[in-house]
Amino acid sequence: MLKTESISHSYGEGSAAVTVLDNVSIDIPEGGFTSIVGRSGSGKSTLLSVISSLLKPEQGQVYFKEKEITNLPGSEIDRLRKEEFSIIFQSHHLLPYLTAHENVLLPFLDRLAPANKELLERGRECLERVGLAGKEDRLPGQLSGGEQQRVAIARALVKSPSILFADEPCGSLDKSTGNEIIEILHKLNKEGLTIAMVTHDRVHASMAKDTIELEDGKTI
Ligand SMILES: Nc1ncnc2c1ncn2[C@@H]1O[C@H](COP(=O)(O)OP(=O)(O)O)[C@@H](O)[C@H]1O
Ligand SMILES: [Mg+2]
């Protein structure tokens, strides 16, 4: 579904440039659960930014559904991000003054009218899929850390993406709450969602169908 060919990227200019990705070629199959694992600073987040089209690599190509997306114009990248790609991070980035249900519906802000029953219902369904039925009207401050992250997952699901990217989704959670988040991601994957997840947790990484290991910007 998503492939890279010989991606290289560095930060900084001239003699201060530091190579962060070095000739990285990966393949994320449709319906797969791929983990990207490695120590802090190994280039995981940079690679995720490249494959989710947030960052244009200095060298190499990215392909999505057989089509090269490395040099797409901004409008087409916007469309990909709006319709095909969803991303969750270590921090959930929920808006504190909106309820769980309202936060989940944020991707539809441009299409949302109070009477749009179908979208309102879709938001509720996504909260149910992550185990939050009955908590739709809570504010983030009235939810636990794990529940807040589930709201962020529901918000990532609401537009029915082709692929979900996750960058250390358990990074700010305790161990057992983190394991619950991983369980939810595996359930969503069984339901057909393709997932690419960055983690430094080897146990979480080993549960994925495929594992890509990075060391100093290279796959090993
Ligand atoms: N925007 C940036 N500017 C300069 N250096 C960066 C930037 N982002 C990351 N780096 C550096 O690139 C290396 C890889 O970072 P990153 O991809 O975030 O690794 P990881 O997610 O595996 O911890 C690190 O040494 C980091 O300090
Ligand atoms: Mg990182």
Side-chain angles (χ1 to χ4, degrees):
M1 166 167 285
L2 203 147
K3 230 171 61 162
T4 72
E5 254 170 37
S6 308
I7 294 289
S8 293
H9 195 75
S10 55
Y11 292 115
E13 301 280 315
S15 60
V18 180
T19 301
V20 176
L21 294 176
D22 187 1
N23 216 8
V24 174
S25 300
I26 64 169
D27 197 341
I28 296 170
E30 181 162 9
F33 192 134
T34 302
S35 66
I36 300 168
V37 68
R39 270 180 294 190
S40 175
S42 57
K44 305 181 297 295
S45 292
T46 304
L47 179 59
L48 199 76
S49 299
V50 167
I51 62 180
S52 61
S53 81
L54 292 171
L55 177 70
K56 187 167 139 53
E58 287 174 334
Q59 284 177 46
Q61 292 83 36
V62 184
Y63 299 89
F64 174 64
K65 294 183 174 170
E66 315 289 327
K67 188 176 165 220
E68 191 179 347
I69 60 166
T70 332
N71 295 303
L72 287 181
S75 58
E76 288 213 34
I77 298 225
D78 287 347
R79 191 198 65 77
L80 272 182
R81 291 212 202 111
K82 209 164 164 179
E83 295 174 9
E84 308 263 20
F85 293 175
S86 272
I87 184 159
I88 57 172
F89 299 96
Q90 179 170 337
S91 166
H92 50 71
H93 300 294
L94 300 178
L95 296 183
Y97 47 86
L98 296 182
T99 67
H101 189 224
E102 288 163 345
N103 266 289
V104 168
L105 292 171
L106 277 177
F108 291 142
L109 210 52
D110 55 343
R111 272 168 276 173
L112 207 58
N116 196 331
K117 289 218 180 81
E118 193 203 319
L119 288 187
L120 294 176
E121 187 47 38
R122 189 145 21 129
R124 270 185 218 103
E125 270 165 26
C126 289
L127 283 167
E128 197 182 327
R129 282 173 80 190
V130 299
L132 287 179
K135 297 191 173 167
E136 297 86 355
D137 296 328
R138 301 248 188 124
L139 295 171
Q142 299 168 319
L143 296 167
S144 70
E147 287 172 336
Q148 290 174 13
Q149 188 62 304
R150 291 191 212 192
V151 176
I153 297 173
R155 182 182 53 193
L157 294 177
V158 79
K159 59 186 175 184
S160 304
S162 303
I163 180 163
L164 175 70
F165 301 100
D167 192 348
E168 305 270 10
C170 312
S172 57
L173 301 172
D174 63 61
K175 202 167 171 205
S176 75
T177 312
N179 289 342
E180 285 171 27
I181 294 295
I182 295 293
E183 265 176 45
I184 287 173
L185 294 178
H186 278 277
K187 179 183 93 100
L188 296 171
N189 175 245
K190 284 205 184 81
E191 292 168 8
L193 182 65
T194 305
I195 297 181
M197 178 181 78
V198 161
T199 181
H200 63 265
D201 185 315
R202 296 203 164 263
V203 177
H204 290 167
S206 68
M207 291 160 74
K209 292 175 184 164
D210 295 300
T211 303
I212 293 162
E213 178 149 8
L214 282 184
E215 196 176 287
D216 298 332
K218 291 192 181 72
T219 46
I220 57 171

